Amino acid sequence: MTRRGKMVFVTLDDGSGSVDVAVYNELYDQCRSMLREDELLVVQARVSRDDYSGGFRASADQILDLAGARQMFARALRLSLNGDACQRQLRERLDTWRARSDQPGCLVEIAYRNKGAECLLRLPETWRVQVDDIAIGALREWLDTSRVQVVYA
């Protein structure tokens, strides 16, 4: 118990080292279901020097699973197409994952290349999509794994 309420310590380990991160009650209640052994997480934390131990201490501000981190940090979904691309098929596939007006979504970029030219086209804001594992998998199945890329800032 602290002045802010309950606090738990979560040990993060990436195989090369580990760190104990303090997670306060409000955040713990929000992300309790994500805190499992061997779960991939992205943690935004404040890190400060710990004069008592001589090391560092960390206090979590935000904890995200991979899907949440992708939604928050992805700048664009980039699809590489060539002169054989079918506009109707692209529209149908993107429409399946189109973000609603109350969702942030991710911009869509088309890296287009044919024999004579290449360019990068950014689709309008109205074509933002939800980039989840199912959407990425379906697009990679349609185009090829190397032609579907999530671009981060």
Side-chain angles (χ1 to χ4, degrees), residues 110-131:
I110 307 296
Y112 184 82
R113 169 186 253 164
N114 65 18
K115 292 179 185 175
E118 65 181 76
C119 66
L120 183 64
L121 305 168
R122 180 171 283 162
L123 298 185
E125 293 279 331
T126 55
W127 279 98
R128 285 183 172 270
V129 294
Q130 292 298 313
V131 184

Side-chain angles (χ1 to χ4, degrees), residues 15-35:
S16 66
S18 65
V19 63
D20 289 330
V21 179
V23 180
Y24 290 95
N25 193 42
E26 316 82 48
L27 182 58
Y28 179 72
D29 287 343
Q30 293 171 13
C31 65
R32 177 181 299 192
S33 64
M34 289 187 276
L35 300 175

